[in-house]
Amino acid sequence: MLNEKPVQIIVNGRAAITLMTSEEKKTNLVVGAMLTEKVIESLDDVESIIEEDSQVSVITKNPYSILLSRKTVLAGCGGASSFLDSGKLGHISSDLSVSKEDLMKAAEAVSNTLWFSGGLFSSNGNMLKAAEDISSQNVLDVLIGFALLEKVDLGNCFVVLKGNAVTETVRKAVIANIPVLAVFGETTAPACDTAEEAGLRLIIF
């Protein structure tokens, strides 16, 4: 059974993001979430990260350049509706191509779970990082955060995700410039549309 606990991300003394996660070590998740929520543009923006039990404090090198409002998913009146601001999302810039056979082989290395699991793979199919969490978004953030901390070029990597994927999942992949995302599960129609518009190769098994 996975535990579900809140982790609050404090940026320059301000509460920025609160996530629910099953991750015990949260640094990868936090770094990935800060990138995909547009709090930072790269790891170069980060001065220090201090992880505690339910809180991760981040100090940026230039706090005045960090804008917490640069989100690509915007809420409608009263939070009753939302839409994706595709103009802020960007477009994938990579010529990486991965065959379905290679994706199937990579999927064998990703654990099966009742929740969500995924793996980050180099272009030659070597697994760089595995992750498991209570949402596909968290799984992606963990993989993205790992890549940033380890200075891995995500433009030359692909991700295999086991579990359902939604637009928010695709949004995070595009912002991180992950060119290929293989989903072993269901995917929503808006997620497919977003992937196509952004140049993400979304493959559904």
Side-chain angles (χ1 to χ4, degrees), residues 6-184:
V7 55
Q8 188 175 48
I9 305 174
I10 307 296
V11 181
N12 302 323
R14 292 178 55 192
I17 305 169
T18 299
L19 302 171
M20 297 302 295
T21 179
S22 62
E23 277 283 303
E24 294 298 327
K25 296 182 178 180
K26 305 175 182 68
T27 301
N28 287 334
L29 173 66
V30 167
V31 171
M34 288 197 302
L35 179 81
T36 59
E37 294 302 325
K38 298 286 191 174
V39 176
I40 61 173
E41 294 182 350
S42 72
L43 193 62
D44 291 337
D45 291 330
V46 178
E47 180 70 35
S48 66
I49 301 175
I50 300 176
E51 181 176 336
E52 301 176 55
D53 181 42
S54 60
Q55 178 177 295
V56 178
S57 297
V58 180
I59 302 297
T60 61
K61 292 180 180 178
N62 184 358
Y64 300 105
S65 68
I66 305 301
L67 303 176
L68 300 182
S69 61
R70 294 183 296 171
K71 297 172 75 71
T72 53
V73 174
L74 307 177
C77 296
S81 62
S82 63
F83 64 94
L84 185 66
D85 188 349
S86 58
K88 293 183 180 179
L89 191 57
H91 196 274
I92 296 290
S93 56
S94 174
D95 58 0
L96 178 67
S97 178
V98 185
S99 69
K100 288 191 175 183
E101 290 75 18
D102 287 341
L103 292 173
M104 291 290 292
K105 183 177 179 180
E108 295 176 1
V110 177
S111 62
N112 295 314
T113 173
L114 293 176
W115 299 94
F116 296 86
S117 59
L120 175 68
F121 295 84
S122 63
S123 58
N124 61 8
N126 290 331
M127 177 182 274
L128 304 175
K129 176 67 176 176
E132 181 179 345
D133 211 320
I134 57 175
S135 73
S136 60
Q137 297 94 309
N138 282 2
V139 169
L140 266 184
D141 278 338
V142 170
L143 300 177
I144 292 166
F146 167 84
L148 264 66
L149 289 166
E150 297 298 322
K151 302 186 185 305
V152 174
D153 180 6
L154 285 168
N156 288 319
C157 295
F158 64 91
V159 167
V160 170
L161 174 68
K162 290 186 176 179
N164 300 333
V166 295
T167 306
E168 179 72 355
T169 315
V170 168
R171 181 186 75 86
K172 289 178 178 289
V174 173
I175 289 174
N177 197 42
I178 297 170
V180 178
L181 174 63
V183 176
F184 287 76

